[in-house]
DNA sequence: CCTATATTCAACCAAGTGGTTGAATACCAA
DNA sequence: TTGGTATTCAACCACTTGGTTGAATATAGG
């Protein structure tokens, strides 16, 4: 069995389990920003966003560089890649399922062709 | 912007953020099992595992079929696929980073060739 | 120096989590 | 019916989480 950096995966998955944090990542994917800039679009307090950023930082998803009173944050995608690698192990399962679904659709189409006009 | 089924993603990512639950999924990827069978390898109580399975079920990752007193569980990979789709949006970022890393290594090798023997 | 800005710290709250134990429920089988 | 097995329910605990408000800290700029 492949060895995973379990604790990192824990933190990464937990970090992206929150919609606000996913939105923060999406924003930073466009361009780096300071805490205040990141917080602007969100309906919660700056403090709340500051905490979210801390969670993302601890998951390794955000790199913070302090410049004077501003904290510049940028995305670090590396942990997302690790998460993706973990998920890929399950790809074969959903591929199988999609194959089955496709076969089912094809079968249904053939049936429809035979019994033309019937809707079941 | 792509539309996500936010609540499902929340539950899926939260579900896989726990190492025990990831291990449960890995087991079910081998073959379906009952609660007791699933619980056997783990050092926690059956009740604890039962709760984990409930979390996985609510995330849509496990399908439960009750047969008499046994609950047969099997993996449903569909939500993992959705999680993977979300992650894929960030692939370009880690691809970029890997490219940069590769360039860096190549550059370093060239430098090493020039200043032969120096270790920095 | 003074004031506005950027951010964190601290305390608090309600709700959720991961675990426990013990009891309840439901089923199978002798 | 009686007993063993499979599972959940219920209550509890310590800890975490996502949010708040208010104060503290540090920097920037007139």
């Amino acid at each position: 069995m492949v060895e995973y950096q379990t604790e990192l995966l824990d933190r990464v998955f937990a970090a992206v389990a929150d919609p606000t944090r996913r939105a923060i990542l999406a924003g930073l994917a466009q361009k780096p920003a300071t805490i205040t800039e990141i917080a602007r679009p969100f309906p919660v307090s700056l403090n709340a966003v500051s905490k979210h950023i801390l969670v993302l930082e601890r998951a390794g998803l955000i790199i913070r560089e302090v410049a004077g009173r501003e904290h510049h944050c940028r995305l670090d995608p590396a942990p997302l890649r690790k998460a993706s690698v973990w998920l890929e192990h399950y790809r074969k399962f959903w591929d199988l399922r999609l194959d089955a679904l496709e076969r089912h659709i094809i079968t249904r189409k053939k049936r429809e062709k035979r019994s033309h006009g019937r809707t079941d």
Side-chain angles (χ1 to χ4, degrees), chain A:
Chain A
M1 196 59 184
V2 187
E3 187 77 17
Y4 294 113
Q5 299 174 45
T6 313
E7 289 159 30
L8 177 65
L9 271 193
D10 290 0
R11 279 189 299 243
V12 173
F13 280 132
V16 300
D18 182 279
T20 301
R21 287 195 290 263
R22 286 199 301 278
I24 290 174
L25 290 182
L28 290 180
Q30 301 307 307
K31 68 177 183 61
T34 67
I35 310 284
T36 313
E37 286 164 359
I38 293 169
R40 194 142 40 223
F42 296 101
V44 297
S45 72
L46 178 74
N47 270 1
V49 172
S50 173
K51 282 190 188 180
H52 280 306
I53 290 169
L54 191 62
V55 172
L56 291 166
E57 198 182 9
R58 287 209 253 254
L61 289 164
I62 277 184
I63 291 168
R64 181 196 306 247
E65 260 152 23
V66 180
R69 56 184 168 178
E70 292 181 343
H71 295 206
H72 293 271
C73 301
R74 62 176 205 273
L75 179 67
D76 184 349
L80 290 182
R81 193 181 132 268
K82 297 216 165 84
S84 183
V85 168
W86 180 85
L87 272 175
E88 281 305 306
H89 286 281
Y90 293 89
R91 168 177 292 281
K92 53 178 171 290
F93 292 99
W94 69 70
D95 279 353
L96 276 174
R97 290 245 315 184
L98 289 182
D99 286 354
L101 181 63
E102 198 185 331
R103 276 196 304 277
H104 175 253
I105 289 169
I106 289 167
T107 310
R108 203 182 54 193
K109 276 187 182 162
K110 281 180 184 165
R111 208 170 38 235
E112 279 166 4
K113 212 168 270 182
R114 268 187 275 123
S115 61
H116 183 271
R118 190 155 56 87
T119 48
D120 279 331

